[in-house]
Amino acid sequence: MNTHPLVTVVIPFYNCPFVSQAISSALSQTYPMVEIIVVDDGSTEHVEQIHPYLPYIHYLGKENGGTATALNHGIKHASGEYIVWLSSDDILYPEKIAKQVQLMMDQRVSISHTNFNYINEHSSLTQYRAGASPMTRLEMLRIFILGNPVNGCTVMFHKSLIQAIGMFDEALPYTHDYDLWYRVLLADYSFAYLAEPLTAYRRHQGMGSVKHAEAITHEIRYTQNRYADQLRHMIQMLER
């Protein structure tokens, strides 16, 4: 078994003023085998921040199509056995990949997520351990009826997972992650959890969840309704 499988970090980028911090955090990992793919989703601003990193990353350009299209584009070009999604306004802590790869290899799982901290536009810590508490599979399924307890930028998955259940749904501009986690659970994959905060999730006025709150709320309801019956059936089976 390869003790250091290659991990690809996919960074979708669209006019984000924090992108250099995201790339720098991916380059600063203690883990020795990291590939970084930055997917420029038709940006017109802050592209110059990427130029100093070009010798150390793969830089892919495409027409603007949204985060799901950028993620899928990066995944298609990924050489890594494991995939990490990093939003261009978030930060990975130095041991993120090393610890998460070890967890996944030890537990022999195809997908995992971790705790995280909130930071602000100045990169100051605003909330420590902001993620969910550890939960059983049944508890997780019940929570998914009401909301999404998984922060996408804490997730690592084996590339075979995407090959088995499909890519991010490009028809969903905002809940493509929520949709994928539903498909993961309904395909009966175990969602391993590392309670240590290994990602800094930035909350700021320019983030999509602030700018598009009404559209996101509508799309969340659509995504929940799409899988509600299947999820309830799975919960009933586990409760027996």
Side-chain angles (χ1 to χ4, degrees):
M1 181 184 291
N2 184 1
T3 56
H4 292 108
L6 182 64
V7 177
T8 299
V9 180
V10 178
I11 305 176
F13 163 63
Y14 180 68
N15 294 344
C16 177
F18 305 104
V19 65
S20 62
Q21 295 181 47
I23 297 172
S24 179
S25 75
L27 286 168
S28 300
Q29 292 298 297
T30 60
Y31 189 77
M33 296 292 291
V34 179
E35 171 188 65
I36 300 167
I37 297 178
V38 177
V39 182
D40 183 344
D41 192 33
S43 294
T44 57
E45 299 176 31
H46 308 297
V47 179
E48 72 285 347
Q49 289 191 28
I50 297 172
H51 294 165
Y53 300 101
L54 290 177
Y56 315 107
I57 66 173
H58 299 288
Y59 181 57
L60 307 178
K62 61 181 286 296
E63 291 184 2
N64 180 252
T67 304
T69 68
L71 283 167
N72 287 345
H73 193 61
I75 291 167
K76 287 172 187 173
H77 287 84
S79 301
E81 188 175 337
Y82 293 90
I83 309 289
V84 168
W85 160 22
L86 174 60
S87 290
S88 55
D89 48 3
D90 296 339
I91 294 171
L92 303 181
Y93 293 133
E95 294 189 316
K96 146 86 174 179
I97 291 177
K99 290 187 174 183
Q100 204 162 357
V101 167
Q102 193 63 55
L103 170 83
M104 293 184 67
M105 293 178 70
D106 288 349
Q107 296 193 14
R108 297 184 179 182
V109 294
S110 297
I111 188 165
S112 67
H113 66 124
T114 78
N115 214 322
F116 63 95
N117 298 329
Y118 279 124
I119 59 172
N120 62 19
E121 64 270 25
H122 307 296
S123 301
S124 300
L125 181 69
T126 58
Q127 186 177 344
Y128 183 62
R129 291 185 180 271
S133 300
M135 63 188 83
T136 65
R137 177 171 178 78
L138 185 56
E139 287 169 340
M140 188 176 212
L141 290 169
R142 286 172 177 156
I143 287 173
F144 259 88
I145 290 285
L146 303 171
N148 178 11
V150 178
N151 183 318
C153 289
T154 74
V155 168
M156 177 183 289
F157 54 82
H158 197 276
K159 202 171 183 181
S160 62
L161 177 83
I162 288 290
Q163 293 164 346
I165 68 170
M167 308 283 273
F168 288 98
D169 187 341
E170 297 182 3
L172 299 172
Y174 310 113
T175 59
H176 47 273
D177 55 341
Y178 199 7
D179 172 86
L180 186 62
W181 314 153
Y182 272 120
R183 287 187 278 134
V184 165
L185 292 169
L186 291 170
D188 213 22
Y189 284 92
S190 296
F191 226 129
Y193 184 60
L194 187 58
E196 183 177 351
L198 296 174
T199 299
Y201 181 77
R202 191 188 308 271
R203 290 197 287 196
H204 57 96
Q205 286 303 307
M207 66 194 301
S209 57
V210 174
K211 293 193 294 184
H212 309 292
E214 186 175 344
I216 291 169
T217 299
H218 175 78
E219 197 171 290
I220 286 171
R221 289 197 193 105
Y222 166 80
T223 303
Q224 289 173 334
N225 291 335
R226 190 180 192 179
Y227 296 106
D229 289 345
Q230 297 174 68
L231 199 62
R232 289 193 180 98
H233 177 71
M234 181 171 273
I235 290 169
Q236 288 169 0
M237 296 296 289
L238 286 172
E239 286 174 334
R240 288 178 179 173

